[in-house]
Amino acid sequence: RDPSFYQIADRFFALSEKYNFRYTIFVIGRDLENPEVFARVREWARAGHEIGNHTWTHHHNLGALPRPRMEEEVLRAHEIITRCTGAEPRGFISPAWSTSRELIDVLIRAGYLYDTSIFPSPLLALAMAKLSLNARSHGVYNASWWKRRDKRAAFFAPRQPYFLNGSSLLHRKESGILMMPLPTLSAFRIPCWHTFSFFIGSMLQRALVRLTARTTDTFYYLMHPADLTDWERDLDPAFRKQYASELALFERLRTPFKRKEKLASEVFQTLAKLGKFVTLEEMARAWISSAQNRSQSIQ
């Protein structure tokens, strides 16, 4: 019984109730084969939360897969999410932000409105190197940085939202799918997502959130179930023993829950002061509408 869909999710929803907003939640398709999970995610959708596509199996190097495998990962998840929620998912995020021109084309052909699979910071190379080394030391498969097809995007992709049509990951197009890169700060491309708070602490993270929100057209704050997982209460000893190698990759899982709770609470207090909370689909539609209006004014 995956706690991500139950007690961990409930902690996230307590925050959404406190601050009166709805999340965008990206789910892995095969998790919905479990009838209990299927029913729970349907409840989330009916409560107004947006449900996005996070692939079928969560392959760590999705962008480097052969085209048929890539399509299967996207379309199988797309189909079961549609069946679960009654609405086609309009947003996508790739595991480990692994993307490629081929993947963008798959998403466009599947009718996706937006994608958030670009991490426009050189820190991605360091993060992937650390993850790969950690995976090898624990005997767990993990795709290396060098096999990715999007390496240049970490260094050169635009930091602000832009349209892609599958011909390039780096160059803005007139139309296509809207890419909303992970928010980053300044020309130094400092990434702003919750995992970073475990390394830099609450005070610096809140400052990073405020500064990044002021300079990013589509600011969103990305979190993971591990960010609010209680190692002792949520994961029983037998599970921790059986999956010790896999769990070791998520070092923050062992962070004391009190610290996790405090970090999340303080960041959400900061987020609540920045403006209105919206789902990613709402944000994407607003940006596209604004871009169209600007284009019409210029013409």
Side-chain angles (χ1 to χ4, degrees):
R1 194 167 187 269
D2 186 346
S4 299
F5 293 96
Y6 299 98
Q7 61 265 39
I8 298 172
D10 290 342
R11 292 174 197 137
F12 279 96
F13 291 131
L15 289 166
S16 72
E17 290 172 12
K18 180 176 181 179
Y19 295 106
N20 190 29
F21 71 89
R22 297 295 177 265
Y23 287 106
T24 296
I25 306 168
F26 294 97
V27 298
I28 298 167
R30 67 179 178 185
D31 287 340
L32 297 177
E33 291 186 308
N34 180 322
E36 282 189 70
V37 171
F38 189 98
R40 194 85 208 272
V41 173
R42 175 173 281 178
E43 288 175 12
W44 300 349
R46 288 176 176 171
H49 300 283
E50 178 192 356
I51 307 300
N53 187 338
H54 196 32
T55 74
W56 179 254
T57 67
H58 201 270
H59 193 285
H60 279 95
N61 202 357
L62 180 70
L65 290 178
R67 174 92 182 213
R69 282 280 314 280
M70 203 182 291
E71 289 177 336
E72 181 183 20
E73 285 285 332
V74 173
L75 298 180
R76 283 188 74 183
H78 184 97
E79 187 277 330
I80 199 169
I81 292 168
T82 302
R83 202 152 37 87
C84 175
T85 66
E88 292 186 279
R90 304 310 309 276
F92 181 82
I93 188 169
S94 183
W97 297 278
S98 171
T99 189
S100 62
R101 291 178 298 168
E102 292 81 4
L103 178 56
I104 295 298
D105 189 59
V106 169
L107 294 173
I108 290 172
R109 291 176 183 275
Y112 278 79
L113 178 72
Y114 72 88
D115 181 19
T116 61
S117 302
I118 281 184
F119 189 116
S121 169
L123 278 181
L124 179 62
L126 294 176
M128 289 302 298
K130 181 179 183 299
L131 187 61
S132 294
L133 287 171
N134 203 9
R136 280 198 290 271
S137 68
H138 289 91
V140 179
Y141 164 78
N142 191 67
S144 75
W145 165 256
W146 301 110
K147 294 180 181 178
R148 293 176 65 121
R149 295 180 186 170
D150 59 351
K151 294 186 288 293
R152 294 181 66 225
F155 297 86
F156 303 113
R159 294 174 45 246
Q160 299 292 358
Y162 61 107
F163 288 116
L164 286 175
N165 64 10
S167 63
S168 169
L169 294 177
L170 305 181
H171 303 299
R172 300 173 189 272
K173 301 298 178 181
E174 293 298 317
S175 62
I177 190 170
L178 178 64
M179 175 59 68
M180 296 196 293
L182 183 80
T184 55
L185 176 64
S186 77
F188 294 104
R189 295 176 173 252
I190 303 169
C192 182
W193 89 113
H194 194 70
T195 298
F196 211 29
S197 67
F198 292 93
F199 297 94
I200 67 175
S202 174
M203 185 179 297
L204 286 177
Q205 182 73 7
R206 285 179 285 147
L208 177 61
V209 166
R210 287 192 295 268
L211 292 170
T212 308
R214 290 173 189 160
T215 58
T216 306
D217 288 350
T218 51
F219 178 78
Y220 58 90
Y221 194 67
L222 184 66
M223 297 186 74
H224 186 280
D227 298 331
L228 281 178
T229 297
D230 186 323
W231 175 263
E232 296 294 336
R233 289 189 297 166
D234 297 336
L235 306 178
D236 65 69
F239 180 88
R240 296 202 302 260
K241 182 178 180 180
Q242 182 178 356
Y243 294 99
S245 295
E246 290 88 344
L247 293 173
L249 299 180
F250 289 92
E251 293 167 317
R252 66 190 184 283
L253 271 177
R254 293 178 178 269
T255 300
F257 181 69
K258 290 286 187 185
R259 181 172 181 240
K260 289 183 176 182
E261 200 172 35
K262 184 172 184 290
L263 277 171
S265 176
E266 291 176 347
V267 169
F268 270 88
Q269 288 172 23
T270 300
L271 290 168
K273 295 175 183 177
L274 293 174
K276 181 182 177 183
F277 285 104
V278 296
T279 64
L280 281 172
E281 182 178 351
E282 290 172 312
M283 184 182 292
R285 291 191 183 281
W287 191 93
I288 291 169
S289 176
S290 177
Q292 291 171 341
N293 290 337
R294 288 196 302 270
S295 177
Q296 290 169 1
S297 297
I298 292 171
Q299 292 172 359

